[in-house]
Amino acid sequence: MKSPFTGGNVIKKSRQETFTFRNEEYTVLAYYFECVDTGKTFTNADVDDRLMEDVYCQYRKRHGIPSPSELKNLREKYGLSAHIMSKIAGIGINQYGLYENGEMPTIIVGQKLSTLFEKESLLKSIDGARVKLGKDFERVREKVESYAEPRSFNLAKVYYPQFDEIIPLIYPPIAYSIRKSRWATCQ
C-alpha cells in the first residue's frame, strides 16, 4: 500500500480505541496506516469494515445475538427457506433477510432469534406460527421434529511399522483384518 499523501511507503499500526455503539462502549484493536514521509495517519474501507465487525461481534456476544452465518446455518440445517424462517421468528421476510446479511437486530429480536437454536424452542415457535405457516405447517414441523444431528466418528490413525504407513482405525477388528489381509498379500 502506498501513502495517499505522498505516494510513499506506509507503516501499518494499531492502538486500542473505544467506540460507542447503541449507547454502549466497546474497546477494540483499531488498525491504521501511517505515512512514513509525513507521519499522517489514515485508514481504508477494509480496515474500517473490520473495525466495525469487531464492535458488532462484541455487541452480539454481550447480548446473546446470533451472527448472520449462525442464522443462515440454522435455517439450512433444517432445510428451511428464509421466508419460512421469518414466519417462525415472527418477523417480516425482508427484515429477516437483512439479519442474515449482517444487519444488527434489536436486543429483543436478537434474543428471540437465539432461542430458535434450541430444538424444543424452535418447535414451540413453529406451533405459534401455525396460522402464518398455513399449509406448510405440518411439513415444517415434521422436518424439524425428525431432524437428528449427524453422528461424528473419531477416526484414530494407527502406525504399523511393518508396512511403513498409517491405517485409519474405525473399529479395532477392522484394522486387524486390514493388517492381516495386507500381511497375507505380502508373503
Side-chain angles (χ1 to χ4, degrees), residues 92-151:
I93 179 62
N94 292 337
Q95 194 60 47
Y96 182 82
L98 290 173
Y99 296 151
E100 273 197 9
N101 288 312
E103 183 76 24
M104 184 65 71
T106 63
I107 294 171
I108 293 170
V109 171
Q111 290 173 347
K112 165 66 175 163
L113 290 170
S114 70
T115 64
L116 300 178
F117 287 81
E118 297 171 20
K119 190 173 182 178
E120 289 305 313
S121 181
L122 178 58
L123 288 168
K124 285 180 186 177
S125 293
I126 291 169
D127 291 340
R130 180 181 208 127
V131 173
K132 289 180 185 177
L133 291 170
K135 61 181 173 64
D136 293 324
F137 172 77
E138 292 296 332
R139 179 185 58 80
V140 168
R141 189 161 206 319
E142 174 62 28
K143 247 184 188 182
V144 173
E145 200 169 40
S146 65
Y147 179 81
E149 291 291 333
R151 291 186 182 198

Side-chain angles (χ1 to χ4, degrees), residues 160 167-181:
Y160 290 99
I167 297 176
L169 177 62
I170 300 170
Y171 182 66
I174 294 172
Y176 178 73
S177 67
I178 291 171
R179 184 175 67 178
K180 192 173 180 182
S181 66

Side-chain angles (χ1 to χ4, degrees), residues 27-155:
T27 302
V28 295
L29 186 62
Y31 289 95
Y32 63 97
F33 302 100
E34 184 177 288
C35 175
V36 173
D37 300 326
T38 65
K40 292 182 181 180
T41 61
F42 65 96
T43 64
N44 63 18
D46 291 337
V47 170
D48 293 342
D49 288 347
R50 178 67 187 145
L51 177 78
M52 287 311 299
E53 190 177 308
D54 289 347
V55 171
Y56 288 170
C57 186
Q58 286 186 35
Y59 181 84
R60 287 178 191 284
K61 187 174 181 179
R62 183 180 289 178
H63 296 291
I65 298 172
S67 70
S69 61
E70 289 171 327
L71 287 173
K72 188 174 182 180
N73 291 341
L74 174 70
R75 182 174 58 76
E76 290 174 348
K77 170 180 169 179
Y78 292 109
L80 303 174
S81 68
H83 186 72
I84 294 292
M85 199 62 156
S86 72
K87 289 179 180 181
I88 293 169
I91 357 179
I93 179 62
N94 292 337
Q95 194 60 47
Y96 182 82
L98 290 173
Y99 296 151
E100 273 197 9
N101 288 312
E103 183 76 24
M104 184 65 71
T106 63
I107 294 171
I108 293 170
V109 171
Q111 290 173 347
K112 165 66 175 163
L113 290 170
S114 70
T115 64
L116 300 178
F117 287 81
E118 297 171 20
K119 190 173 182 178
E120 289 305 313
S121 181
L122 178 58
L123 288 168
K124 285 180 186 177
S125 293
I126 291 169
D127 291 340
R130 180 181 208 127
V131 173
K132 289 180 185 177
L133 291 170
K135 61 181 173 64
D136 293 324
F137 172 77
E138 292 296 332
R139 179 185 58 80
V140 168
R141 189 161 206 319
E142 174 62 28
K143 247 184 188 182
V144 173
E145 200 169 40
S146 65
Y147 179 81
E149 291 291 333
R151 291 186 182 198
S152 63
F153 296 97
N154 185 6
L155 299 177

Side-chain angles (χ1 to χ4, degrees), residues 157-175:
K157 292 187 176 182
V158 178
Y159 178 70
Y160 290 99
Q162 62 267 45
F163 302 122
D164 289 328
E165 63 184 61
I166 296 175
I167 297 176
L169 177 62
I170 300 170
Y171 182 66
I174 294 172

